[in-house]
Amino acid sequence: MPAGTLYRGREGMWSWVAHRVTGVLIFFFLFVHVLDTALVRVSPEAYDDVVATYKTPLVALLEYGLVAAILFHALNGLRVVAVDFWSKGTRYQKQMLWTVMGIWIVLMAGALYPVLGHAVREVFGS
Amino acid sequence: MSAETTSAVGPVEGASLYDVDNPAPLIEPPRKRTKKSPKTTRTNFELYGWLFMRLSGIVLVVLVLGHLLIQLVLDGGVSKIGFAFVAGRWASPFWQTWDLVMLWLAMLHGANGLRTVINDYAERPTTRFWLKNLLYTATVFTVLLGTLVIFTFDPNIR
């Protein structure tokens, strides 16, 4: 079998799997997020109580995971658009995936302090 | 193939079997729709769904990443969020519109994605039917609830 012609199990398949998994996770989060925001129609206290739990270290870690899922889904989604609409998209799908992963790592590093900084300060003091 | 090769299709042998008094039998096209055939269900729905995922996706990249930047990164990140912060943002029609468009596009994008996932993995027709029923109910409920909240938000609720 010639090398590099097998789609299954390589970058193409795994990015597809990751796109599905992150998509489903984000969608489930979205339900919860609309429900918690709807509490602003109940009372300011009800909303602030729930948002207070979002500021705890454990949930901060979940938020970092949410950012990771959304950033991957967004960047890989743009890659899917390029594969579908750009004439050379399929030829460069692998390179585009590694570009996506590169940008993802840079953005995740950038989100580290803003999203997790307060959690680290709370857990380790100062 | 050279030019000398004789054609596989020879000249028609003999006279035609049919004439005005003895016409050829009428053969209906195999998939011709008649009065008896069931009403067609073929539309371009899946094409538009595919296109919608890409177009809404591009818009959502801007809306959602902007949302994350404002809510989780800028100005103290998640620590600043509270009723007062929401009231401040929804005082502006710009952010109301932003959130409304984001809500609708994200919910429809997600619902169509999950519809695809259900179609791929739920094999029994009844399972598919009920899962999609649940999906559509939850989607309509969430979109309407979110829309209602944005339009009826009252900063002086208390």
Side-chain angles (χ1 to χ4, degrees), chain B residues 12-32:
Chain B
V12 178
E13 291 166 42
S16 171
L17 290 168
Y18 307 109
D19 53 42
V20 182
D21 299 320
N22 185 24
L26 182 74
I27 302 171
E28 277 207 350
R31 287 176 206 84
K32 189 182 177 190

Side-chain angles (χ1 to χ4, degrees), chain A:
Chain A
M1 185 177 299
T5 59
L6 188 68
Y7 179 82
R8 198 168 74 184
R10 294 195 60 86
E11 290 90 338
M13 188 193 92
W14 290 116
S15 62
W16 174 84
V17 169
H19 203 75
R20 286 215 146 171
V21 172
T22 52
V24 171
L25 289 176
I26 295 164
F27 191 54
F28 286 156
F29 164 77
L30 186 54
F31 280 119
V32 179
H33 185 48
V34 173
L35 290 178
D36 69 48
T37 306
L39 288 175
V40 296
R41 290 298 296 129
V42 177
S43 73
E45 293 77 21
Y47 182 74
D48 286 346
D49 279 352
V50 167
V51 172
T53 64
Y54 292 177
K55 300 172 184 176
T56 58
L58 181 69
V59 180
L61 212 57
L62 293 176
E63 279 154 11
Y64 195 63
L66 178 72
V67 170
I70 289 176
L71 282 178
F72 175 80
H73 199 85
L75 295 169
N76 190 56
L78 293 177
R79 168 179 162 269
V80 170
V81 171
V83 167
D84 284 351
F85 290 111
W86 179 36
S87 58
K88 291 175 186 163
T90 44
R91 198 186 306 164
Y92 292 113
Q93 62 95 4
K94 259 184 219 181
Q95 288 90 328
M96 286 196 290
L97 179 64
W98 294 116
T99 310
V100 161
M101 293 318 291
I103 299 172
W104 182 81
I105 287 172
V106 170
L107 291 178
M108 284 308 287
L112 204 57
Y113 180 77
V115 177
L116 287 177
H118 68 94
V120 171
R121 276 193 298 278
E122 197 176 320
V123 172
F124 298 102
S126 86

Side-chain angles (χ1 to χ4, degrees), chain B residues 1 5 12 23 31 48 50 62 77-78 93 101 105 116 118 121 147:
Chain B
M1 200 184 269
T5 315
V12 178
R31 287 176 206 84
Y48 296 130
W50 174 88
V62 177
V78 76
V101 174
L105 288 184
T116 311
I118 292 170
Y121 301 118
T147 306

Side-chain angles (χ1 to χ4, degrees), chain B residues 57-111:
Chain B
I58 292 170
V59 178
L60 280 168
V61 169
V62 177
L63 294 179
V64 173
L65 295 192
H67 184 71
L68 284 181
L69 193 68
I70 293 165
Q71 306 291 325
L72 292 181
V73 177
L74 299 178
D75 200 19
V78 76
S79 320
K80 65 173 179 281
I81 300 180
F83 186 84
F85 181 74
V86 176
R89 295 194 67 226
W90 279 351
S92 144
F94 177 81
W95 293 114
Q96 280 185 314
T97 312
W98 181 298
D99 286 355
L100 189 71
V101 174
M102 186 166 63
L103 169 76
W104 277 73
L105 288 184
M107 283 305 295
L108 293 178
H109 186 102

